[in-house]
Amino acid sequence: MSSTFGTLFKVSTFGESHGKGVGAIIDGCPPGMELRAQDIQVQLDRRRPGQSKMATDRQEADQVSILSGVEFDRTLGTPIGLLVANKDQRPGDYGEMDQVPRPSHADYTYQMKYGIRASSGGGRSSARETIGRVAAGAVAEKYLRETCGIEIIAWVSAVGRIEAAGVDSARVTREEVDAHIVRCPDVGAAKAMEDEILQARGEHDSIGGVVSCVCRKVPTGLGEPVFDKLEALLAQAMLSLPASKGFEIGSGFGGARMRGSLHNDPFVRKGERLGTLTNYSGGVQGGISNGEEILFRVAFKPVATIGLAQTTVTMDGREVVLEAKGRHDPCVVPRAVPIVETMTALVLMDLLLRQRSRQVNF
Amino acid sequence: MSSTFGTLFKVSTFGESHGKGVGAIIDGCPPGMELRAQDIQVQLDRRRPGQSKMATDRQEADQVSILSGVEFDRTLGTPIGLLVANKDQRPGDYGEMDQVPRPSHADYTYQMKYGIRASSGGGRSSARETIGRVAAGAVAEKYLRETCGIEIIAWVSAVGRIEAAGVDSARVTREEVDAHIVRCPDVGAAKAMEDEILQARGEHDSIGGVVSCVCRKVPTGLGEPVFDKLEALLAQAMLSLPASKGFEIGSGFGGARMRGSLHNDPFVRKGERLGTLTNYSGGVQGGISNGEEILFRVAFKPVATIGLAQTTVTMDGREVVLEAKGRHDPCVVPRAVPIVETMTALVLMDLLLRQRSRQVNF
Amino acid sequence: MSSTFGTLFKVSTFGESHGKGVGAIIDGCPPGMELRAQDIQVQLDRRRPGQSKMATDRQEADQVSILSGVEFDRTLGTPIGLLVANKDQRPGDYGEMDQVPRPSHADYTYQMKYGIRASSGGGRSSARETIGRVAAGAVAEKYLRETCGIEIIAWVSAVGRIEAAGVDSARVTREEVDAHIVRCPDVGAAKAMEDEILQARGEHDSIGGVVSCVCRKVPTGLGEPVFDKLEALLAQAMLSLPASKGFEIGSGFGGARMRGSLHNDPFVRKGERLGTLTNYSGGVQGGISNGEEILFRVAFKPVATIGLAQTTVTMDGREVVLEAKGRHDPCVVPRAVPIVETMTALVLMDLLLRQRSRQVNF
Amino acid sequence: MSSTFGTLFKVSTFGESHGKGVGAIIDGCPPGMELRAQDIQVQLDRRRPGQSKMATDRQEADQVSILSGVEFDRTLGTPIGLLVANKDQRPGDYGEMDQVPRPSHADYTYQMKYGIRASSGGGRSSARETIGRVAAGAVAEKYLRETCGIEIIAWVSAVGRIEAAGVDSARVTREEVDAHIVRCPDVGAAKAMEDEILQARGEHDSIGGVVSCVCRKVPTGLGEPVFDKLEALLAQAMLSLPASKGFEIGSGFGGARMRGSLHNDPFVRKGERLGTLTNYSGGVQGGISNGEEILFRVAFKPVATIGLAQTTVTMDGREVVLEAKGRHDPCVVPRAVPIVETMTALVLMDLLLRQRSRQVNF
């Protein structure tokens, strides 16, 4: 298991879905920043299930507690311990599922890798695991915003075959994103996406989607070629999220179909600095931010837990029919929005500190 | 700069395109494996430019020399130093380009990040940088093949709008891939791709493409949730490659349009082990290999160096028209095939060693 | 701040002395080991202050809670979260000391490094910080004992000028160590040490000492040359302990006065394996364990908090006389015994997992 | 094997004693520093054997070549490759020794750990391995000197029972150190040390010694508690050196015998900053530099290779008498002086970059 992320802003997460709690330690947060639990709670609340009829109804307050690293609402430069207690502690609850690895869940692979697995709810592979990341990422996000003015805004750009259009990455705000429950700022598409999700739910099924993200006002120079290029760490961060299946930056897979004469972003003067006329690069050249918007998209598969009956086999190979009980979130992407934002913040924060160590004049 | 990759099989690469040479140190290769320079040379030769009329004509022999870590053709367990001399050492050669950051190259971002940059040829952002990775990855590949039987096969699955069809990931061989110069085992598509590339070349332009990759016989249990999930490290590895813009595994972006009832991979008995009936997961569940084929795709943008005139600005903002001289590779994907394979080997190798450290019975 | 230790058995600690609590996350503990809070509590109890008239009287129960990574008393292979609540939460309590950096404490350096520091009790530089290490190290110790039979026994070998003699490293037990309150298994020396400590206490002063440690039944082959040699990581681990000033292994500083003909440890047959006749090497050759006892010593300075008046200056340079109030531990070494043992376990545990990843036959 | 050191200024070394060469890659050197091979050569020349009648007579030019990362004598911020060719390539030369693990060498432990070892000269456990460190450390040293004025001076403070006295750490210069062949600036002691070494040599024996080191003008604030405290990383660095057996900082083992009232370093005003009246702390408090001199000592055992006959056993347990042929260095400490200095530079350099990343005002 590798639950640690980052070189200088190092985050270690912990916690199973039905154990005592989940959380994170941030080792390397700069000292002197104002920080209150509420600053973190904002993103945890956006991540929380049970916000709507479309999401699972399980009520989880997910209140974060700061265990260390902060005194009189100011960071000390020491490790920041963050803990969210689980209200729903019930080892062994799922019962029969223990014998049947759920299709497209991690039950089978955890069992094969570790020879043991949490008795219920997915344990560490559960979506609850992301709470530690979101909490830590909210701290990074605050720092980036206050020291550099960096804005990180994600939104749902597709649900199933419904795609958003007309989202202006230069201006979209978190308020616009949150205005509709599916977190798509394209109002027309949002309504269609809601219908799509409700229909999937009605059919005891689930549906996939895409989250887009823009980072604005990122200073030029972030990214550590060659292995820790900005887009490489973003890709790692995004593919480490539960249910994600793809990542693309700038032109992405569409760029593979283009000619260089169109794809190249010519430089132009933008006030005091150079900018580019187009942005097929997605704000990154040679693995380093170029001062333009960083733009990327993340694909999420449909949630694996569905009410429909599925024919599968038990650990010892006997065929069975599996039918999930209870209510489950039919589409993960609305809740993935704050997760994508905070993971992005973890990437940018670490790269900012790494770049800062370099700045000296001879 | 972060030119080190891996936790236990740790690779550090070095070298600019027009300096003395490029290479890598592998720290952590297991002892006792037979290894000769020729084992590494095979993949370097496949990566080498100048293999055809479609590629750049620059002749670079790229002969690798093993500096350390091997004695009497056997690895010692100590760091393996690998060096490929540059035949083409010409600092300052590109001349006027120094003042003009080439569009969609890394000239501008390197200059802004480091306050200095190599005087010619892209330096560390050049495609020559990949030589160190390919050399190190060839060592990993040999180890994986000999100890686990792992097969890693990549091929060109798209050039521009031409897409390959009918490639059987379960059977495709490296010989089939190399049978055609574009490295597409779908013979009909290969011919169309060749035409597409030659047409771009004729128009002094370049064209993007997609590389697909399959890993067969990967043991169950590789991948370190949560941040070093198998797909997360693959995504980092692929997005760290020059010119790559996207990564998807299994169903990828297509999965975002699917219903869970279709996307879920039911378990079935496959001889002694469990397998899955479908493989939308791409061989990975919860970030851990499940014993099925690992299948992913990487999008590459069109090469930024083109012969067509481009209007851009100098570092101090004056408008100029830039026109690349000499012959340049109009499409990177055929040569990207061995690069994708060897980077994949680096990921699997490190995860194999990490998983091995865990195996103990109580 | 760098509160993370280890490559595969990775421990991240957190917590200030007067905040909500202290603890650790272990990322990388092998799955399947039986583990209960009580297994950890044993070493925390030995570390706890207030065990005798010689130690500080502050009562701190230091009960550990396992937050994650264990289910039905068995490790899952996922991160193990460990938390010890602070009973003594009093930010700002020390009052006037805020203006006066205490001599030979870390008040001044923390302030200069971070621009801020915990308002009381040393914060992260307090001895309470070691709780996280001891808790994590107790888990490692259990694993090493149960899978390899490794025994790690530390004891007080000097207090001031009183030195222990006649401790047989091959046979000394933890019971013998704990038989006397100063944790010196040499009964005569123990009594003299106790007198020395009580005398220092009576004079409102403090006294330094030395802790010796033996590791028995360590398998041959642990240690990762060249930078992570076994003795190098032990040295790092020991010098990272509060108040430690020196480390020596085997012959140590005494070895610098010796001739090679005496110092060399000739090989002899010991049953099935080779051993050495003497052990000036301290169980390590070339940075790798050789199967003999690993023997080292750690020097601890006298505790910096003393009741005697000290003339010093405030942060802005005014001369003041400082006199510590309350009762303080006049000698740290008896409580350092379990800390040295558990830090040693962290080093050996990580090296064991690293070595295990290497073992394969061609 | 772990041949990588540092977090931001990351050094990876490679090379066996009788292979093609030895060297290092520095990943993370700040850009823009002037650097020529000669800057590095100075310390390599001081490390080189064959400088005197006391050292081994083997002539090794040890000329360093800069492979990458530097253009027009200026660092690019990219990995700096450093290579020193071996003139003495003779695998298999030592012959009979292959069957007989030399006492107190690493032959036995390498064989047990890796199942294979270099056929001659110690391979990676040879003193030649330090060339990579010295070369990389010389780069760090130059940076520290030019950007912060840091001075790192080591000297021989003991050979056998002869100890130097009257070395003023505040003023000692490298010229004074190099004035005498044993590198002890105490002229009287130097002569006695020389005699001691020659006597050992005459008796086909070897002798140990101690190297002391002072770092002057180190800025306040370097060191990353808790595990990467300045003294902890120094201890790791020093104990990673071949033949080292002990490390102490400030009062060291002597501090264990002291009372707190004497050992505490009272603060006093020193111009604009606070300083301490005494320096038993050795320039470090709480793991962080306090602006005073950093003072430490490293113990080295007598060289294991001696001409005197030794009774030992073969790998399969047969008793044999071993007698080293050829001329060998009877005392390692004069040559250890530049090694200690450059390893110290690696530690300080990495900590400087890490601290720099933190500096921001809110």
Side-chain angles (χ1 to χ4, degrees):
Chain A
M1 176 124 318
S2 183
S3 293
T4 302
F5 188 77
T7 296
L8 292 181
F9 191 88
K10 194 176 288 190
V11 174
S12 301
T13 67
F14 64 93
E16 278 75 44
S17 52
H18 292 77
K20 287 193 185 168
V22 291
I25 296 177
I26 305 169
D27 190 7
C29 184
M33 177 172 73
E34 273 195 53
L35 187 67
R36 290 174 182 78
Q38 184 51 30
D39 297 320
I40 298 165
Q41 196 62 48
V42 177
Q43 284 287 46
L44 286 177
D45 287 348
R46 294 179 80 214
R47 193 215 76 91
R48 195 163 51 83
Q51 299 170 63
S52 76
K53 58 190 167 191
M54 285 182 302
T56 160
D57 289 345
R58 287 186 297 159
Q59 287 301 325
E60 300 166 88
D62 292 348
Q63 290 296 314
V64 71
S65 168
I66 301 178
L67 298 176
S68 65
V70 176
E71 205 187 58
F72 304 128
D73 299 331
R74 207 163 277 276
T75 60
L76 293 169
T78 57
I80 300 175
L82 302 170
L83 179 62
V84 171
N86 288 341
K87 301 225 159 157
D88 192 16
Q89 298 177 27
R90 35 166 194 176
D93 189 58
Y94 279 29
E96 69 169 26
M97 282 194 190
D98 287 5
Q99 312 309 320
V100 190
R102 293 167 293 168
S104 292
H105 278 81
D107 300 338
Y108 175 69
T109 49
Y110 267 67
Q111 185 68 44
M112 295 304 285
K113 182 177 186 71
Y114 299 108
I116 190 175
R117 70 180 199 274
S119 63
S120 69
R124 191 79 183 133
S125 74
S126 155
R128 254 192 103 66
E129 172 271 317
T130 59
I131 284 180
R133 314 173 180 227
V134 170
V139 176
E141 212 181 7
K142 185 170 191 291
Y143 186 90
L144 294 168
R145 192 170 55 236
E146 296 187 357
T147 62
C148 305
I150 292 175
E151 298 165 347
I152 304 169
I153 315 279
W155 66 92
V156 172
S157 54
V159 168
R161 297 186 173 278
I162 316 295
E163 299 208 12
V167 177
D168 181 355
S169 63
R171 287 196 181 75
V172 63
T173 65
R174 210 164 271 183
E175 290 66 35
E176 288 164 19
V177 171
D178 283 355
H180 192 282
I181 204 159
V182 294
R183 293 212 166 99
C184 173
D186 172 340
V187 183
K191 184 71 189 74
M193 288 171 179
E194 187 182 356
D195 292 345
E196 185 80 5
I197 295 172
L198 290 175
Q199 190 180 347
R201 181 180 194 139
E203 297 170 11
H204 306 287
D205 209 341
S206 63
I207 184 86
V210 176
V211 173
S212 290
C213 186
V214 63
C215 310
R216 297 188 296 240
K217 301 185 190 159
V218 176
T220 307
L222 302 198
E224 298 290 319
V226 296
F227 294 112
D228 291 354
K229 287 176 173 170
L230 178 40
E231 63 269 46
L233 292 190
L234 282 175
Q236 180 196 359
M238 295 308 140
L239 266 295
S240 79
L241 296 177
S244 70
K245 301 304 289 179
F247 169 87
E248 55 181 10
I249 187 160
S251 61
F253 278 88
R257 291 189 290 272
M258 290 169 71
R259 285 288 185 89
S261 54
L262 175 60
H263 193 280
N264 278 0
D265 298 317
F267 285 103
V268 292
R269 204 169 188 161
K270 293 193 176 175
E272 294 298 293
R273 67 177 186 90
L274 294 198
T276 64
L277 197 59
T278 49
N279 187 17
Y280 291 112
S281 299
V284 181
Q285 281 160 344
I288 301 167
S289 62
N290 67 357
E292 300 296 312
E293 286 176 8
I294 296 171
L295 269 162
F296 62 89
R297 300 168 78 239
V298 188
F300 290 90
K301 68 170 188 178
V303 176
T305 306
I306 56 174
L308 286 171
Q310 302 175 81
T311 303
T312 184
V313 297
T314 60
M315 284 300 285
D316 49 4
R318 286 176 299 107
E319 200 168 277
V320 288
V321 174
L322 194 69
E323 214 167 314
K325 281 149 199 149
R327 296 194 182 175
H328 296 278
D329 203 340
C331 184
V332 79
V333 285
R335 286 176 58 203
V337 163
I339 304 177
V340 165
E341 289 169 347
T342 46
M343 274 310 295
T344 302
L346 290 184
V347 170
L348 294 181
M349 181 72 191
D350 198 51
L351 290 175
L352 178 73
L353 298 186
R354 286 163 85 174
Q355 171 63 359
R356 194 186 282 163
S357 73
R358 187 175 283 113
Q359 290 167 329
V360 96
N361 296 314
F362 273 86
Chain B
M1 178 125 314
S2 183
S3 293
T4 303
F5 189 76
T7 296
L8 292 181
F9 191 88
K10 194 177 287 191
V11 173
S12 300
T13 67
F14 64 94
E16 278 75 43
S17 52
H18 291 77
K20 288 195 186 167
V22 292
I25 296 177
I26 305 169
D27 191 7
C29 184
M33 178 172 71
E34 272 196 54
L35 187 68
R36 290 173 184 77
Q38 185 52 29
D39 298 319
I40 298 166
Q41 197 62 46
V42 177
Q43 285 287 46
L44 286 176
D45 287 347
R46 294 179 81 214
R47 193 215 76 92
R48 194 164 50 83
Q51 298 171 63
S52 75
K53 58 191 168 188
M54 286 183 300
T56 160
D57 288 346
R58 287 186 296 160
Q59 287 300 326
E60 299 166 89
D62 292 347
Q63 289 297 314
V64 70
S65 169
I66 300 178
L67 299 177
S68 65
V70 176
E71 206 187 58
F72 303 129
D73 300 332
R74 207 164 276 276
T75 59
L76 293 169
T78 58
I80 300 175
L82 301 169
L83 180 63
V84 171
N86 287 342
K87 301 226 159 158
D88 192 17
Q89 298 178 28
R90 33 165 196 178
D93 188 59
Y94 279 28
E96 69 168 29
M97 281 195 190
D98 288 3
Q99 313 308 321
V100 190
R102 293 168 295 168
S104 293
H105 278 83
D107 300 339
Y108 175 69
T109 49
Y110 267 67
Q111 185 67 44
M112 296 303 285
K113 181 177 186 71
Y114 298 109
I116 190 174
R117 72 180 198 274
S119 63
S120 68
R124 191 79 183 133
S125 72
S126 155
R128 256 192 101 66
E129 171 271 318
T130 59
I131 284 179
R133 314 174 181 226
V134 169
V139 177
E141 212 180 7
K142 183 169 192 291
Y143 186 90
L144 294 169
R145 192 170 54 236
E146 297 187 357
T147 61
C148 304
I150 292 176
E151 299 165 346
I152 304 170
I153 317 278
W155 65 93
V156 172
S157 55
V159 168
R161 296 186 174 278
I162 316 294
E163 300 207 12
V167 177
D168 181 356
S169 62
R171 288 198 179 73
V172 63
T173 65
R174 209 165 271 183
E175 290 64 38
E176 289 164 20
V177 172
D178 284 353
H180 193 283
I181 206 158
V182 294
R183 293 212 167 99
C184 173
D186 171 341
V187 183
K191 185 69 190 73
M193 289 171 179
E194 187 181 357
D195 292 346
E196 185 80 6
I197 295 172
L198 290 174
Q199 191 181 343
R201 180 179 193 138
E203 298 170 11
H204 306 286
D205 209 342
S206 63
I207 183 86
V210 176
V211 173
S212 291
C213 186
V214 64
C215 309
R216 296 187 298 241
K217 301 186 191 156
V218 176
T220 308
L222 303 197
E224 297 291 318
V226 298
F227 295 112
D228 291 354
K229 286 176 174 170
L230 177 41
E231 64 268 45
L233 292 189
L234 281 175
Q236 179 195 1
M238 296 308 140
L239 267 294
S240 79
L241 295 177
S244 70
K245 301 303 288 180
F247 169 87
E248 56 181 10
I249 187 160
S251 61
F253 279 88
R257 291 191 289 273
M258 291 169 71
R259 286 287 184 91
S261 53
L262 175 60
H263 192 280
N264 279 0
D265 298 318
F267 285 104
V268 291
R269 205 169 186 159
K270 292 194 178 176
E272 293 299 291
R273 66 175 187 92
L274 294 199
T276 63
L277 197 59
T278 50
N279 187 16
Y280 292 111
S281 298
V284 182
Q285 281 161 342
I288 301 166
S289 62
N290 67 358
E292 299 296 312
E293 287 177 7
I294 295 171
L295 270 162
F296 62 89
R297 300 168 80 239
V298 188
F300 290 90
K301 67 170 189 178
V303 176
T305 306
I306 56 175
L308 285 171
Q310 303 175 81
T311 303
T312 184
V313 296
T314 59
M315 283 302 284
D316 49 3
R318 286 177 299 105
E319 201 167 275
V320 290
V321 173
L322 195 70
E323 213 166 316
K325 279 147 202 151
R327 296 198 183 170
H328 296 278
D329 202 340
C331 184
V332 79
V333 285
R335 286 176 58 204
V337 162
I339 304 176
V340 165
E341 288 169 347
T342 46
M343 275 308 296
T344 302
L346 291 184
V347 170
L348 294 181
M349 181 71 190
D350 198 52
L351 291 175
L352 178 72
L353 297 187
R354 286 162 86 174
Q355 171 63 0
R356 194 186 282 164
S357 73
R358 187 174 284 114
Q359 290 168 330
V360 97
N361 295 314
F362 276 86
Chain C
M1 177 126 317
S2 184
S3 293
T4 302
F5 188 77
T7 296
L8 292 181
F9 191 89
K10 194 177 288 190
V11 174
S12 300
T13 66
F14 63 95
E16 279 75 43
S17 52
H18 291 77
K20 286 195 186 166
V22 291
I25 295 176
I26 304 169
D27 190 6
C29 184
M33 177 173 71
E34 272 197 53
L35 187 67
R36 292 173 181 78
Q38 184 52 31
D39 297 320
I40 298 166
Q41 197 62 46
V42 176
Q43 284 288 45
L44 286 176
D45 287 347
R46 294 179 80 213
R47 193 216 76 92
R48 193 164 52 83
Q51 298 170 63
S52 76
K53 58 191 165 185
M54 285 181 300
T56 160
D57 290 346
R58 289 187 296 161
Q59 286 301 325
E60 300 166 270
D62 292 348
Q63 289 296 315
V64 70
S65 168
I66 301 177
L67 298 177
S68 66
V70 176
E71 206 186 58
F72 303 129
D73 300 331
R74 207 164 278 275
T75 59
L76 293 168
T78 58
I80 300 175
L82 301 170
L83 179 63
V84 170
N86 287 341
K87 301 227 157 154
D88 190 17
Q89 297 178 29
R90 34 166 195 178
D93 188 60
Y94 280 30
E96 70 168 28
M97 281 194 191
D98 287 4
Q99 313 308 320
V100 189
R102 291 167 294 167
S104 292
H105 277 83
D107 301 339
Y108 175 70
T109 49
Y110 267 66
Q111 185 67 45
M112 296 303 285
K113 182 176 186 72
Y114 298 108
I116 189 174
R117 70 181 197 275
S119 64
S120 67
R124 191 77 182 136
S125 74
S126 155
R128 255 192 102 66
E129 170 271 318
T130 59
I131 284 179
R133 315 174 181 224
V134 170
V139 177
E141 211 181 7
K142 184 169 191 294
Y143 187 90
L144 294 168
R145 193 171 51 235
E146 295 186 357
T147 61
C148 305
I150 292 176
E151 299 165 346
I152 304 170
I153 316 277
W155 65 92
V156 172
S157 55
V159 168
R161 297 188 172 275
I162 316 295
E163 301 207 11
V167 178
D168 180 357
S169 63
R171 289 197 178 75
V172 63
T173 65
R174 210 165 269 183
E175 290 65 36
E176 288 164 19
V177 171
D178 284 355
H180 193 281
I181 207 160
V182 294
R183 292 209 168 101
C184 173
D186 172 340
V187 184
K191 185 69 190 73
M193 289 171 178
E194 187 182 357
D195 292 346
E196 186 80 6
I197 295 172
L198 291 175
Q199 191 181 344
R201 182 181 192 137
E203 297 171 12
H204 306 286
D205 210 341
S206 64
I207 182 88
V210 176
V211 173
S212 291
C213 186
V214 64
C215 309
R216 295 188 297 240
K217 301 186 192 157
V218 175
T220 307
L222 303 196
E224 297 291 319
V226 295
F227 295 113
D228 292 353
K229 286 177 174 170
L230 177 41
E231 63 269 45
L233 292 189
L234 281 175
Q236 179 195 0
M238 296 307 140
L239 267 295
S240 79
L241 295 178
S244 70
K245 302 302 290 180
F247 169 86
E248 56 181 10
I249 187 160
S251 62
F253 279 89
R257 290 190 290 272
M258 290 168 72
R259 286 286 185 91
S261 54
L262 175 59
H263 193 279
N264 280 1
D265 297 318
F267 286 104
V268 290
R269 204 170 188 160
K270 292 192 177 178
E272 293 299 291
R273 67 178 186 88
L274 294 199
T276 63
L277 196 61
T278 49
N279 187 16
Y280 291 112
S281 299
V284 182
Q285 281 160 343
I288 301 166
S289 61
N290 67 358
E292 300 295 311
E293 288 176 8
I294 295 171
L295 269 162
F296 62 90
R297 301 167 79 239
V298 188
F300 290 90
K301 68 172 188 175
V303 177
T305 307
I306 55 174
L308 285 172
Q310 302 176 82
T311 302
T312 184
V313 297
T314 60
M315 283 302 283
D316 49 4
R318 285 177 301 105
E319 199 167 279
V320 289
V321 174
L322 194 69
E323 213 167 317
K325 280 151 200 148
R327 297 197 183 172
H328 296 277
D329 203 338
C331 184
V332 79
V333 285
R335 287 177 57 203
V337 162
I339 303 175
V340 165
E341 288 169 346
T342 46
M343 277 306 298
T344 301
L346 291 183
V347 170
L348 294 181
M349 181 72 189
D350 198 52
L351 291 175
L352 178 72
L353 297 186
R354 287 162 86 174
Q355 171 63 1
R356 195 186 282 164
S357 73
R358 187 173 284 115
Q359 290 168 329
V360 96
N361 296 314
F362 276 85
Chain D
M1 176 124 320
S2 184
S3 293
T4 303
F5 189 77
T7 296
L8 292 180
F9 191 88
K10 194 177 287 192
V11 174
S12 300
T13 68
F14 63 94
E16 279 74 43
S17 53
H18 291 77
K20 286 194 185 168
V22 291
I25 295 177
I26 304 169
D27 190 6
C29 184
M33 177 172 73
E34 273 196 53
L35 187 68
R36 289 172 183 79
Q38 184 52 31
D39 297 320
I40 297 166
Q41 197 60 48
V42 177
Q43 285 286 44
L44 286 177
D45 287 347
R46 294 179 80 214
R47 192 216 76 91
R48 194 165 50 83
Q51 299 170 62
S52 76
K53 59 189 167 187
M54 285 182 302
T56 159
D57 289 346
R58 288 188 295 161
Q59 286 301 325
E60 299 167 89
D62 291 347
Q63 289 296 314
V64 71
S65 168
I66 301 179
L67 298 177
S68 66
V70 176
E71 203 187 61
F72 303 129
D73 300 332
R74 208 165 276 276
T75 59
L76 293 169
T78 58
I80 300 174
L82 302 170
L83 179 63
V84 172
N86 287 342
K87 302 227 158 156
D88 191 17
Q89 298 177 29
R90 34 164 194 177
D93 189 59
Y94 280 29
E96 69 168 28
M97 281 193 191
D98 286 6
Q99 313 308 320
V100 190
R102 292 168 293 168
S104 292
H105 278 82
D107 301 338
Y108 175 70
T109 48
Y110 267 67
Q111 185 67 45
M112 296 303 285
K113 181 177 187 70
Y114 299 109
I116 190 175
R117 70 180 198 274
S119 64
S120 67
R124 191 78 183 135
S125 73
S126 155
R128 255 192 102 67
E129 171 271 318
T130 59
I131 284 180
R133 315 173 180 227
V134 169
V139 177
E141 211 180 8
K142 184 170 192 291
Y143 186 91
L144 293 169
R145 193 170 52 236
E146 296 185 358
T147 61
C148 305
I150 292 175
E151 299 165 347
I152 303 170
I153 316 279
W155 65 92
V156 172
S157 54
V159 168
R161 299 189 171 274
I162 316 294
E163 301 206 12
V167 177
D168 181 357
S169 63
R171 289 198 179 74
V172 64
T173 66
R174 210 165 269 184
E175 290 67 35
E176 288 164 19
V177 171
D178 283 355
H180 192 282
I181 206 159
V182 294
R183 292 211 167 101
C184 173
D186 172 341
V187 184
K191 185 68 189 73
M193 289 170 178
E194 187 182 358
D195 292 346
E196 185 79 7
I197 295 172
L198 291 175
Q199 191 180 346
R201 180 180 195 138
E203 297 171 11
H204 305 288
D205 209 341
S206 64
I207 183 88
V210 176
V211 173
S212 291
C213 186
V214 64
C215 309
R216 294 187 298 239
K217 300 186 190 158
V218 176
T220 307
L222 303 196
E224 298 290 320
V226 296
F227 295 113
D228 291 354
K229 287 177 173 170
L230 177 41
E231 63 269 45
L233 292 188
L234 282 174
Q236 180 196 0
M238 296 308 140
L239 267 294
S240 80
L241 296 176
S244 70
K245 300 304 289 181
F247 169 87
E248 55 181 10
I249 188 160
S251 61
F253 278 88
R257 291 191 289 272
M258 290 168 71
R259 286 286 185 91
S261 53
L262 175 59
H263 193 279
N264 279 0
D265 297 317
F267 285 104
V268 292
R269 205 170 187 160
K270 292 192 177 177
E272 292 300 291
R273 69 175 185 90
L274 294 199
T276 63
L277 196 60
T278 49
N279 187 16
Y280 291 111
S281 299
V284 181
Q285 282 160 342
I288 302 166
S289 62
N290 66 359
E292 301 295 312
E293 287 175 7
I294 295 172
L295 269 162
F296 63 88
R297 302 168 79 240
V298 188
F300 290 91
K301 69 170 186 176
V303 177
T305 306
I306 56 174
L308 286 172
Q310 303 175 81
T311 303
T312 184
V313 297
T314 60
M315 282 303 282
D316 49 4
R318 285 177 301 103
E319 199 166 279
V320 289
V321 173
L322 195 69
E323 214 167 316
K325 279 147 200 151
R327 295 197 185 173
H328 296 278
D329 204 339
C331 184
V332 80
V333 285
R335 285 176 59 202
V337 162
I339 304 175
V340 165
E341 288 169 347
T342 46
M343 276 308 297
T344 302
L346 290 184
V347 170
L348 294 181
M349 181 72 190
D350 197 53
L351 291 175
L352 179 73
L353 297 186
R354 287 163 85 175
Q355 171 63 0
R356 195 187 279 163
S357 73
R358 189 173 282 115
Q359 290 167 330
V360 95
N361 295 315
F362 275 85

